[in-house]
Amino acid sequence: MTQLIPMISEEEIRTQVKETGHRISSDYEGKNLVLAGVLKGAFVFLADLTRAITIDHEIDLIGVSSYSGTTSTREMTFTKKPDIDLEGKDVLLVEDIVDTGNTLSALLEYIKTLNPASVKICTLINKHERRETEIDVTYSCFTLEKGFIVGYGLDYNELYRNLPAIFDLKL
Ligand code: IMP
Ligand code: MG
């Protein structure tokens, strides 16, 4: 029987997302900020984060379906490439959760080829247990040692993205 155990409340999420939005607003003052949300998982976080940021910024969406190969030969398959010309922009990649780090490190390499002024990472959850590729995560709302969580955009087989809070999934 599938069990959903409450883990992070709506209130805790709201507080952390607001706080992260304030930090980003002050760090990116006077810069050309582009929030680039990674589909699909980041869509709920992105919607709240953009409204917690008080400076002007652009929004884009990136869809990555898979990656293959080693770091040097990694190929990304995009379901949606960025629409905005990111050259000279200060890109902030917005993710739901960093797990192995493989998706984001490949995406970082790709974004860098577009000659942005800077590229950094903002994730709702930074999960450490299975990290394979070391990446620099500048903003993270919550840290998780291990487990599989759902809700607030995060899915299990495409379900549970709609839950307003975050739950530990026990199968
Ligand atoms: P990775 O960092 O390349 O391993 O990929 C991270 C992606 O795996 C996330 O963007 C999620 O789509 C998915 N993922 C990893 N851990 C979880 C979890 O606990 N719940 C839901 N999705 C997860
Ligand atoms: Mg994701």
Side-chain angles (χ1 to χ4, degrees), residues 38-42 67 95-105 125 127 130-132 135 144 146-151 153-156 161 167:
V38 184
L39 294 169
K40 298 179 203 169
Y67 51 81
E95 256 286 22
D96 51 354
I97 184 165
V98 183
D99 187 13
T100 63
N102 294 337
T103 309
L104 271 180
S105 69
I125 315 267
K127 185 161 88 174
R130 307 196 309 146
R131 191 64 45 88
E132 290 171 6
I135 49 167
L144 180 71
K146 56 182 176 178
F148 194 90
I149 56 175
V150 295
L154 290 125
D155 75 307
Y156 171 67
R161 294 192 197 275
F167 297 81

Side-chain angles (χ1 to χ4, degrees), residues 42-139:
F43 81 108
V44 178
F45 178 40
L46 181 69
D48 284 341
L49 185 66
T50 184
R51 289 177 289 177
I53 295 175
T54 52
I55 57 166
D56 285 345
H57 61 282
E58 296 174 84
I59 296 174
D60 212 337
L61 295 167
I62 301 175
V64 189
S65 68
S66 64
Y67 51 81
S68 59
T70 62
T71 313
S72 53
T73 62
R74 190 171 288 156
E75 273 182 32
M76 303 204 70
T77 308
F78 287 95
T79 54
K80 190 194 167 297
K81 286 197 171 190
D83 306 314
I84 296 173
D85 180 2
L86 298 179
E87 184 163 355
K89 299 290 172 73
D90 293 287
V91 180
L92 189 56
L93 288 171
V94 178
E95 256 286 22
D96 51 354
I97 184 165
V98 183
D99 187 13
T100 63
N102 294 337
T103 309
L104 271 180
S105 69
L107 196 50
L108 273 175
E109 280 177 45
Y110 169 76
I111 299 289
K112 283 176 186 165
T113 67
L114 305 175
N115 301 316
S118 68
V119 54
K120 292 190 173 167
I121 293 168
C122 175
T123 186
L124 178 69
I125 315 267
N126 194 359
K127 185 161 88 174
H128 293 290
E129 185 190 26
R130 307 196 309 146
R131 191 64 45 88
E132 290 171 6
T133 312
E134 271 322 307
I135 49 167
D136 202 358
V137 176
T138 305
Y139 306 96

